[in-house]
């Protein structure tokens, strides 16, 4: 496929999945892109940011602005924004959707979920700003972002160390990431019903506590500081600070300090020098969840990670045959791990290659000047799309496409092109 053909086809997928309209119930206009046909019908938090990166590469910046506007349109007065916004239908798409929203007497089904997802909103907005020079857009969005990040720091940094905790695996965006198995009490191995039920029980417990965060923290059923989440959080705080400086907002200093603190704590608490990898922390036990997934590469995007550490992580893991080397990298867990399964499964993120992981790793590699592995990753990602089209995830050995069809995330390959 030529570059032009690729752009045309990605543009068509976004167009097909775009939903615009007016919600009479919510009395609001919306304009969002769903990631795939029927399987994922809502506006999702981190998917929205991915769509902005893709739209930026397609030069469709006005549309990109609309995505972020819609995402923050239902922001609560305290700053919270849910990971799913049910613009067109309050009906759940899957059972989890019921448990992941707050039950209240006035709103049996609120318009958005009670969960969070990795924050890349400032990064996305910075792309829009750099492409358009539109300061008014920044002035419109940045106060909302500040409120959102303040909510996170006040409500999800339970122990005050700067890092954010997730309260269910689904908040990571990496739903069945094998590192969560231990925290869920699931014996390691291939995904099966027991895993689904354990994750579901966490959601059920949070639902019964009506997402009252102090009570959820106290019960400590599933409280995890996840690496990718916290990397994107630290990175976004830094980008936010830069954008605030652009509009001469004196709060810029506060967010820069927070970014610095989070980045530093991430390295201190998540990096294990012996195995040269970053690990999630199970807050209940205080221990690392020592499973190798492509999350180990994400922190390389942060300035607080030294070049020596970055080099060790790459040298030790990127090309290791038992871990991430495969004909179509990056497998979503080391190929030698007992959870690894290369094929289609309900238990996603446990073996197959995901474009989002490749995209993020690519950004981190480029940031560090590891241009060679970055180029390799770009080429194999491009080949995956040529072979199997726009799919949710792919077999790392054969390149076969699995999961949702016409899945938008494949478009992130456009953001790996230089
Ligand atoms: C799956 C993914 C999650 C994504 C959602 C919508 O649940 O794990 O990251 O946001 O689908 O695409």
């Amino acid at each position: 496929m030529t570059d032009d053909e690729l752009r045309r086809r990605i543009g068509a997928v976004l167009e097909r999945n775009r939903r615009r309209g007016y919600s009479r119930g919510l009395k609001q206009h919306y304009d969002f892109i769903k990631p795939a046909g029927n399987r994922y019908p809502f506006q999702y938090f981190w998917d929205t940011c991915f769509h902005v990166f893709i739209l930026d590469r397609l030069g469709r910046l006005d549309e990109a602005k609309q995505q972020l506007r819609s995402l923050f349109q239902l922001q609560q007065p305290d700053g919270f924004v849910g990971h799913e916004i049910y613009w067109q239908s309050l009906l759940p798409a899957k059972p989890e959707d019921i448990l992941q929203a707050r039950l209240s007497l006035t709103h049996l089904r609120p318009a958005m979920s009670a969960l969070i997802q990795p924050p890349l909103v400032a990064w996305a907005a910075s792309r829009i700003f750099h492409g358009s020079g539109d300061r008014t857009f920044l002035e419109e969005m940045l106060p909302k972002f500040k409120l959102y990040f303040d909510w996170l720091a006040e409500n999800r940094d339970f122990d005050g160390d700067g890092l954010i905790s997730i309260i269910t695996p689904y908040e990571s965006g990496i739903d069945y990431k094998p590192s969560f198995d231990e925290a869920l009490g699931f014996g390691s191995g291939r995904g099966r019903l027991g895993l689904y039920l354990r994750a579901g029980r966490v959601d059920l417990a949070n639902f019964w506590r009506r997402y009252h965060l102090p009570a959820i923290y106290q019960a400590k059923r599933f409280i995890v500081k996840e690496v990718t989440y916290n990397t994107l959080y630290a990175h976004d705080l830094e980008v936010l600070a830069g954008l605030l400086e652009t509009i001469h907002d004196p709060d810029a200093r506060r967010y820069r300090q927070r970014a610095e603190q989070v980045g530093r704590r991430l390295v201190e608490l998540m990096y294990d020098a012996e195995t040269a990898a970053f690990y999630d922390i199970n807050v209940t036990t205080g221990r690392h969840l020592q499973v190798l997934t492509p999350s180990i590469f994400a922190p390389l995007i942060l300035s607080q990670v030294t070049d020596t550490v970055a080099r060790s992580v790459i040298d030790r893991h990127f090309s290791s045959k038992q871990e991430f080397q495969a004909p179509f990298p990056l497998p979503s867990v080391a190929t030698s791990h007992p959870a690894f399964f290369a094929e289609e499964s309900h238990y996603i993120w446990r073996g197959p290659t995901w474009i989002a992981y490749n995209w993020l790793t690519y950004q981190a590699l480029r940031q560090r000047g590891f241009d060679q592995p970055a180029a390799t990753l770009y080429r194999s990602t491009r080949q995956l799309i040529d072979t199997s089209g726009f799919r949710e995830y792919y077999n790392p050995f054969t390149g076969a496409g699995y999961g949702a069809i016409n899945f938008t995330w494949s478009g992130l390959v456009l953001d790996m092109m230089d």
Side-chain angles (χ1 to χ4, degrees):
M1 210 186 308
T2 63
D3 289 358
D4 282 348
E5 176 65 5
L6 180 68
R7 275 197 194 88
R8 196 191 60 70
R9 287 181 55 185
I10 290 170
V13 169
L14 294 191
E15 200 50 50
R16 177 205 291 239
N17 293 354
R18 186 175 181 186
R19 292 292 174 272
R20 271 176 289 183
Y22 180 73
S23 160
R24 271 192 283 163
L26 300 168
K27 297 188 180 51
Q28 303 253 21
H29 287 279
Y30 57 83
D31 185 350
F32 74 97
I33 295 170
K34 56 180 183 170
N38 295 331
R39 193 179 289 221
Y40 301 116
F42 310 125
Q43 178 165 26
Y44 297 83
F45 198 98
W46 81 330
D47 300 54
T48 299
C49 303
F50 295 152
H51 297 152
V52 170
F53 293 114
I54 303 167
L55 288 167
D56 169 48
R57 289 299 176 143
L58 292 170
R60 285 157 54 172
L61 291 175
D62 284 340
E63 217 177 302
K65 288 178 197 166
Q66 291 305 105
Q67 308 304 307
L68 287 180
R69 286 192 176 113
S70 276
L71 185 64
F72 277 77
Q73 215 150 296
L74 300 183
Q75 183 172 35
Q76 289 176 359
D78 64 0
F80 177 78
V81 177
H83 90 304
E84 290 175 348
I85 315 230
Y86 315 120
W87 283 117
Q88 290 185 302
S89 163
L90 294 187
L91 291 179
K94 28 187 177 48
E96 297 91 286
D97 296 331
I98 303 175
L99 299 181
Q100 292 174 1
R102 190 178 283 111
L103 179 73
S104 81
L105 290 176
T106 45
H107 293 89
L108 276 182
R109 255 316 265 172
M112 61 183 175
S113 78
L115 270 51
I116 54 174
Q117 244 189 355
L120 306 83
V121 285
W123 193 1
S126 76
R127 288 292 185 81
I128 295 176
F129 177 68
H130 290 124
S132 64
D134 186 349
R135 292 171 70 100
T136 321
F137 179 69
L138 288 187
E139 280 156 9
E140 174 191 340
M141 297 310 294
L142 297 190
K144 298 175 201 262
F145 294 175
K146 287 198 289 186
L147 208 58
Y148 180 71
F149 280 100
D150 289 349
W151 185 91
L152 284 176
E154 277 157 30
N155 293 278
R156 289 306 191 92
D157 175 9
F158 294 111
D159 56 12
D161 68 1
L163 301 181
I164 297 295
S165 290
I166 55 171
I167 57 169
T168 161
Y170 301 106
E171 290 197 318
S172 65
I174 312 173
D175 304 10
Y176 296 106
K177 186 182 181 190
S179 57
F180 300 149
D181 292 1
E182 188 188 315
L184 287 169
F186 175 72
S188 182
R190 292 250 297 268
R192 53 183 188 276
L193 189 62
L195 177 59
Y196 177 69
L197 294 177
R198 280 183 163 78
R201 279 209 288 272
V202 168
D203 280 350
L204 185 63
N206 293 341
F207 177 80
W208 281 122
R209 295 192 168 94
R210 295 221 197 143
Y211 286 90
H212 182 59
L213 292 164
I216 290 173
Y217 179 63
Q218 210 181 356
K220 295 225 175 47
R221 267 194 92 103
F222 180 97
I223 308 284
V224 169
K225 294 173 186 166
E226 199 271 333
V227 172
T228 316
Y229 187 101
N230 280 287
T231 299
L232 292 170
Y233 174 61
H235 184 257
D236 229 51
L237 282 169
E238 192 165 318
V239 177
L240 176 62
L243 293 176
L244 289 168
E245 278 155 15
T246 309
I247 61 165
H248 307 295
D249 183 322
D251 283 339
R253 258 191 71 213
R254 189 152 60 84
Y255 292 96
R256 199 167 284 291
Q257 277 167 358
R258 202 183 294 172
E260 180 55 30
Q261 184 216 0
V262 177
R264 228 177 332 104
R265 297 298 274 166
L266 188 150
V267 177
E268 271 167 37
L269 300 173
M270 293 181 152
Y271 186 63
D272 175 56
E274 205 178 308
T275 55
F278 292 88
Y279 296 112
D280 301 345
I281 299 166
N282 181 0
V283 174
T284 313
T285 59
R287 294 215 330 250
H288 278 160
L289 295 163
Q290 290 223 359
V291 179
L292 294 171
T293 69
S295 293
I296 63 167
F297 303 119
L300 272 53
I301 206 164
L302 300 177
S303 56
Q304 292 79 14
V305 172
T306 62
D307 285 341
T308 319
V309 166
R311 166 71 51 214
S312 316
V313 176
I314 294 298
D315 285 353
R316 185 87 75 96
H317 303 288
F318 191 79
S319 305
S320 155
K321 280 223 168 66
Q322 286 76 44
E323 297 173 6
F324 300 107
Q325 203 197 76
F328 298 96
L330 296 163
S332 41
V333 62
T335 50
S336 57
H337 190 273
F340 177 82
F341 180 59
E343 290 166 35
E344 185 151 25
S345 160
H346 174 80
Y347 303 98
I348 53 180
W349 301 94
R350 296 173 76 84
T353 296
W354 285 72
I355 307 286
Y357 256 152
N358 284 10
W359 169 80
L360 182 56
T361 305
Y362 176 92
Q363 304 300 326
L365 291 169
R366 284 302 301 267
Q367 177 100 352
R368 288 279 159 184
F370 295 126
D371 294 344
Q372 181 71 39
T376 310
L377 205 48
Y378 162 64
R379 272 196 303 276
S380 66
T381 305
R382 185 77 192 253
Q383 215 185 328
L384 271 179
I385 294 168
D386 275 346
T387 316
S388 302
F390 305 118
R391 298 300 299 267
E392 189 177 356
Y393 53 95
Y394 303 85
N395 187 312
F397 299 133
T398 66
Y402 298 135
I405 294 167
N406 281 321
F407 196 63
T408 51
W409 297 15
S410 305
L412 285 171
V413 72
L414 294 181
D415 202 36
M416 299 169 68
M417 280 172 72
D418 45 49

